[in-house]
Amino acid sequence: MARYKVILAYDGTEFKGFQRQAGKSTARTVQNTFESALREIGWSGEAILSAGRTDAGVHASGQVISFDLEWKHGEAELAAALNANLPADVAVREVSEALEGFHPRYDAVSRRYCYRIFTDPIRDPQRERFAWRIWPPVDGGLLEATAGAIIGSHDFRAFGSAPHAGGTTVRRVFKAEWCSKESELVFEIQANAFLYRMVRKLVGYQVEIGQGKLELQAMKERLQDQCADLVRNIAPPHGLSLEAVEYVR
Amino acid sequence: MARYKVILAYDGTEFKGFQRQAGKSTARTVQNTFESALREIGWSGEAILSAGRTDAGVHASGQVISFDLEWKHGEAELAAALNANLPADVAVREVSEALEGFHPRYDAVSRRYCYRIFTDPIRDPQRERFAWRIWPPVDGGLLEATAGAIIGSHDFRAFGSAPHAGGTTVRRVFKAEWCSKESELVFEIQANAFLYRMVRKLVGYQVEIGQGKLELQAMKERLQDQCADLVRNIAPPHGLSLEAVEYVR
């Protein structure tokens, strides 16, 4: 029996999120789907471990999961065997043996997400699966300035709740920037950890600023004690993707 | 009553092709779906006209269709009314009034398609919806050289059949080139018209050459009389998109 670490990619559109839901164990979640594939090759565990839950409709190219398995062949063979049992919208990208006791969530030192937007007044089916269409257009310079205000250690309680009641809402953001890629604007954010729906709320709020509906100053105020009401702006799930989870080794 | 020209975009994944199938009028085709939306706003015609059928799984960002409609409001209002009645995977991108008797297929002077590929040994759910994953990698220089051989007027009977038995298989290709975009290779081809499955067969054959399984010379021979057996290589539909249809005015 060995512990394996697996990098997982999925198109979240047709999943009811990553995690199995209590009382709805038959819902099509990434976890349920992956565990079924794992059982096909002899796994008899109770639940896989993951770096983080993603909401319904959120994608991933670098989700990390872990499980114990008795496997006599190599890592590439394990990846191939799992991929043969997984549906088209989820795939194992990488398999490696982990140290005993490795935990994808507790051992992670940071996570990186991308959020894609594009501006267009009319629906565009080929682009809207993985990006949020917004209108009116945003001012790219304002987006950049707003992202700059996010970098560093802040109390993000205006942008999400802690996973456990009473837990800290302070998070350390290492990177937050908007890049222009082809016809899209991509927000890349890396932090030690994230609050519930934090990225989507940060994006929703930044877009309001970029469209001139809020002042740039509003972002700074939301990160200060005196004005930390929970923001209501939330960007839709389909623009978001969990890109990577980093470990010390 | 006026004739309207509409530019249509769709994600072809969940459609059984563009055209309504004889005997299967309830199959989910783009035509059936669009005609239902049109009936919701008072249309009572029998069938819309289109620039071309696309196969099951093929996408479009610039399909052109036409129909006659009694409509008292503007073109933008017509686009909005149709989009409100269409599902998420198909959208009206543009509406304009056309001359009486305009026919999107017979009046077209050229069509432009894109075919996207990327090289990766492992499945990638976020990229494979709109691009064909190939492995082993291709030689980009060979692809470019192969595309060059396609340009001009040739008898393409090795790469598809004519829409009507006994029809000419000569087509005039104005443009055929491979561009590198982000991590993808995109084949762009513009011709006066295309044979059935011509783009997918041209791509399938070029990839064989790019992977070194066939000589570059093979493409030139297939376009000559003495060696025009129908090629069996066919790229899958999901990498293909009808990008535009051009008219004289």
Side-chain angles (χ1 to χ4, degrees):
Chain A
M1 192 82 93
R3 179 149 294 196
Y4 288 95
K5 174 190 171 200
V6 163
I7 298 179
L8 212 58
Y10 43 89
D11 170 346
T13 314
E14 303 293 334
F15 287 106
K16 306 247 176 261
F18 180 85
Q19 198 176 41
R20 178 169 41 249
Q21 295 157 307
K24 290 190 202 167
S25 65
T26 56
R28 189 174 190 264
T29 65
V30 179
Q31 182 179 1
N32 280 342
T33 303
F34 189 85
E35 289 174 352
S36 296
L38 207 46
R39 275 187 206 103
E40 295 281 331
I41 58 166
W43 180 74
S44 57
E46 264 188 33
I48 57 172
L49 303 172
S50 78
R53 311 160 198 179
T54 50
D55 282 339
V58 173
H59 316 289
S61 60
Q63 170 73 284
V64 176
I65 58 166
S66 188
F67 50 84
D68 293 324
L69 182 73
E70 187 80 54
W71 180 254
K72 290 174 185 140
H73 314 284
E75 292 161 353
E77 285 78 8
L78 179 52
L82 286 167
N83 278 332
N85 287 314
L86 287 167
D89 51 356
V90 51
V92 166
R93 297 285 301 161
E94 223 180 288
V95 170
S96 55
E97 219 182 296
L99 290 180
E100 203 189 313
F102 166 76
H103 195 297
R105 180 156 69 248
Y106 304 140
D107 293 351
V109 291
S110 72
R111 286 94 173 146
R112 187 157 49 81
Y113 282 91
C114 271
Y115 196 101
R116 295 165 203 283
I117 65 173
F118 69 100
T119 56
D120 197 321
I122 305 176
R123 290 206 286 115
D124 191 337
Q126 281 194 47
R127 294 160 83 199
E128 284 182 67
R129 194 170 183 93
F130 299 108
W132 181 28
R133 179 176 64 82
I134 58 161
W135 193 258
V138 285
D139 179 323
L142 275 176
L143 284 186
E144 273 175 54
T146 318
I150 297 168
I151 298 170
S153 279
H154 303 282
D155 185 337
F156 284 96
R157 66 189 156 105
F159 296 96
S161 45
H164 304 286
T168 178
T169 46
V170 173
R171 295 291 183 273
R172 190 179 185 87
V173 175
F174 305 114
K175 182 181 180 180
E177 63 179 36
W178 287 90
C179 312
S180 173
K181 282 186 186 168
E182 300 232 359
S183 55
E184 292 180 350
L185 282 166
V186 184
F187 178 60
E188 218 178 282
I189 184 166
Q190 184 183 17
N192 65 331
F194 290 87
L195 302 174
Y196 183 58
R197 296 198 169 158
M198 177 171 153
V199 186
R200 290 167 58 192
K201 289 189 173 192
L202 284 172
V203 169
Y205 204 70
Q206 287 181 90
V207 165
E208 291 274 302
I209 292 171
Q211 289 177 330
K213 296 172 189 167
L214 288 171
E215 296 291 321
L216 172 56
Q217 190 55 27
M219 176 60 87
K220 290 172 186 161
E221 285 166 8
R222 290 284 177 171
L223 297 176
Q224 286 164 0
D225 232 25
Q226 63 268 33
C227 186
D229 302 337
L230 198 65
V231 307
R232 282 165 307 175
N233 319 74
I234 181 159
H238 65 271
L240 184 61
S241 179
L242 172 55
E243 296 283 297
V245 185
E246 286 89 14
Y247 300 89
V248 173
R249 53 168 182 180
Chain B
M1 192 81 94
R3 178 150 294 195
Y4 288 94
K5 174 191 171 198
V6 163
I7 297 179
L8 212 60
Y10 44 87
D11 170 345
T13 315
E14 303 294 332
F15 287 106
K16 305 246 175 263
F18 180 85
Q19 196 175 41
R20 178 168 42 250
Q21 295 157 307
K24 290 192 202 164
S25 64
T26 56
R28 189 175 190 264
T29 65
V30 179
Q31 182 180 0
N32 280 342
T33 303
F34 188 85
E35 289 174 353
S36 296
L38 209 45
R39 276 188 205 101
E40 296 280 331
I41 58 165
W43 181 73
S44 57
E46 264 190 31
I48 57 171
L49 304 171
S50 78
R53 312 159 197 180
T54 50
D55 282 340
V58 172
H59 316 289
S61 60
Q63 170 71 286
V64 176
I65 58 166
S66 188
F67 50 83
D68 293 324
L69 182 73
E70 186 80 55
W71 181 255
K72 291 175 185 139
H73 315 284
E75 291 160 352
E77 287 78 7
L78 179 51
L82 286 166
N83 278 332
N85 287 314
L86 287 168
D89 52 356
V90 52
V92 165
R93 297 284 302 162
E94 220 179 291
V95 170
S96 56
E97 217 181 298
L99 291 180
E100 204 189 314
F102 166 76
H103 194 298
R105 180 156 70 249
Y106 304 140
D107 292 352
V109 291
S110 71
R111 285 96 173 144
R112 186 157 49 81
Y113 281 91
C114 271
Y115 197 101
R116 294 165 204 283
I117 66 174
F118 69 99
T119 56
D120 197 320
I122 304 176
R123 292 205 285 114
D124 191 337
Q126 281 193 49
R127 294 160 85 200
E128 286 183 66
R129 194 168 182 93
F130 299 107
W132 180 29
R133 179 176 65 82
I134 59 162
W135 193 259
V138 285
D139 177 325
L142 275 177
L143 283 186
E144 273 176 53
T146 319
I150 296 169
I151 298 170
S153 279
H154 302 283
D155 186 338
F156 284 96
R157 67 190 155 105
F159 296 97
S161 44
H164 303 287
T168 177
T169 47
V170 173
R171 295 292 184 272
R172 188 180 185 89
V173 174
F174 304 113
K175 183 182 180 180
E177 62 180 38
W178 287 91
C179 312
S180 172
K181 282 186 187 167
E182 301 231 0
S183 56
E184 292 179 351
L185 282 167
V186 184
F187 178 59
E188 217 177 283
I189 184 167
Q190 185 184 14
N192 65 331
F194 289 88
L195 301 174
Y196 182 58
R197 296 197 168 159
M198 177 170 151
V199 185
R200 289 168 58 193
K201 288 188 174 194
L202 284 172
V203 169
Y205 205 70
Q206 287 181 89
V207 165
E208 291 274 301
I209 293 171
Q211 290 177 329
K213 296 174 189 165
L214 288 170
E215 296 291 320
L216 172 56
Q217 190 57 25
M219 176 60 87
K220 288 172 187 162
E221 285 166 8
R222 290 285 178 170
L223 298 175
Q224 285 164 1
D225 231 24
Q226 63 267 33
C227 187
D229 302 337
L230 199 66
V231 308
R232 282 165 307 174
N233 320 74
I234 181 160
H238 64 270
L240 185 62
S241 179
L242 172 56
E243 295 284 294
V245 184
E246 286 90 13
Y247 300 89
V248 173
R249 53 167 183 183

